[in-house]
Amino acid sequence: MKDQFGAVAPIEVDDTHVGDGYGIPTDAAHEAIELVARTEAIFLDPVYTGKAMAGLIAYVRQQKLTEGQTVVFWHTGGQVGLFA
């Protein structure tokens, strides 16, 4: 990945929101799923996108993101997991 000047930009991988493991929803994921459904009418699953959104929400609350910074949340599906 390159920044606006063509230099290689670092990619940070944060796995602190995985919880107890794959397929095990976290409380933060449940909160994110409810918040995003209620405010944006977007459905997230409890395994991937719910945990990822919980991480993004945590970054916002911790002010790790700066004003003017571009953030992309790539929703990869998984709604079927909501009804399992």
Side-chain angles (χ1 to χ4, degrees):
M1 201 160 113
K2 294 187 177 187
D3 67 13
Q4 63 190 11
F5 304 108
V8 175
I11 296 175
E12 178 182 336
V13 176
D14 179 353
D15 64 355
T16 59
H17 298 277
V18 172
D20 290 333
Y22 177 83
I24 304 170
T26 63
D27 290 341
H30 284 298
E31 177 192 4
I33 290 166
E34 292 177 21
L35 176 66
V36 174
R38 190 174 61 252
T39 60
E40 305 298 330
I42 297 173
F43 298 110
L44 306 173
D45 74 277
V47 176
Y48 293 114
T49 56
K51 290 180 181 182
M53 182 58 73
L56 179 57
I57 291 168
Y59 269 42
V60 170
R61 289 177 177 164
Q62 296 165 12
Q63 299 179 342
K64 288 186 175 184
L65 304 172
T66 60
E67 187 174 333
Q69 187 175 9
T70 300
V71 175
V72 175
F73 184 86
W74 191 331
H75 189 311
T76 58
Q79 292 94 329
V80 176
L82 285 173
F83 307 107

